[in-house]
Amino acid sequence: MNFTEPSPLAQSTVVGFLPELESLTPVPSNETSCENWREVHHLVFHAANVCFAVGLLIPTTLHLHMILLRVMLSIGCTLYVVWATLYRCALDMMIWNSVFLGINILHLSYLLYKKRPVKIEKDLGGVYHRLFEPLRVPPDLFRRLTGQFCVIQTLKRGQVYATEDKTSVDDRLSILLKGRFS
């Protein structure tokens, strides 16, 4: 009642497909396909890769993560150069890793230069700590603002700094560091 005859199209597809399956050769087991593997690389090679892995796993929430990343990449490249030179005798790998080492050392030098401590003049240190530091102005920005434009004047008692309606103060900002004036 619910019986259907197989169509000639379905039979030809199955029959045409079987010879292709029979002609496939089985994949060799893992024992025979791995016979051509080379020996394990030297410990220096593995230490270099561990340095790369550690460098890439440093969390970005860490304060000095970029510096630590560049240090680990530089150590890894150095170990690769040693490995390629002494144990593999591979000139191309030695050259490429030397180039990468140079790039990492240059970038590391730049990052360390940016992190250097900024020296603020003794007279302006109090101004920075009282006025600018609470506003989270970085010391290097404060130094740039005061570096070339700042002029510290010492006035004697009775000496006039500015006169109302006569002295133009449009292009400067004045801060009293010590003493009092009227």
Side-chain angles (χ1 to χ4, degrees), residues 24-137:
L24 290 176
T25 57
V27 177
S29 68
N30 201 18
E31 296 172 359
T32 59
S33 64
C34 296
E35 287 177 3
N36 294 331
W37 279 17
R38 293 185 174 200
E39 73 281 354
V40 175
H41 290 298
H42 195 269
L43 181 63
V44 176
F45 173 82
H46 295 291
N49 285 316
V50 166
C51 288
F52 290 143
V54 168
L56 294 173
L57 290 175
I58 295 172
T60 57
T61 56
L62 196 61
H63 178 63
L64 300 173
H65 76 280
M66 284 303 292
I67 291 176
L68 292 175
L69 170 67
R70 292 297 171 171
V71 166
M72 295 308 292
L73 290 177
S74 296
I75 292 171
C77 286
T78 302
L79 291 173
Y80 258 149
V81 168
V82 168
W83 173 75
T85 305
L86 300 179
Y87 300 105
R88 227 11 165 196
C89 299
L91 181 65
D92 56 345
M93 291 178 72
M94 192 236 1
I95 291 172
W96 275 111
N97 283 288
S98 297
V99 169
F100 296 150
L101 177 63
I103 291 170
N104 277 309
I105 288 175
L106 287 174
H107 198 163
L108 178 63
S109 302
Y110 171 72
L111 291 173
L112 290 174
Y113 175 76
K114 281 181 53 177
K115 289 286 184 186
R116 77 193 186 288
V118 177
K119 294 180 182 178
I120 298 174
E121 289 183 36
K122 181 179 160 186
D123 296 333
L124 297 175
V127 174
Y128 174 73
H129 292 301
R130 279 181 287 152
L131 299 174
F132 291 90
E133 195 172 36
L135 297 173
R136 295 186 178 149
V137 174

Side-chain angles (χ1 to χ4, degrees), residues 138-156:
D140 59 332
L141 179 60
F142 178 76
R143 185 157 188 247
R144 281 191 307 199
L145 288 171
T146 59
Q148 65 192 76
F149 303 113
C150 181
V151 177
I152 298 176
Q153 293 180 345
T154 304
L155 301 177
K156 296 180 181 167

Side-chain angles (χ1 to χ4, degrees), residues 8-23:
L9 180 62
Q11 288 176 349
S12 66
T13 305
V14 172
V15 171
F17 193 63
L18 287 177
E20 291 174 12
L21 287 176
E22 292 171 358
S23 67

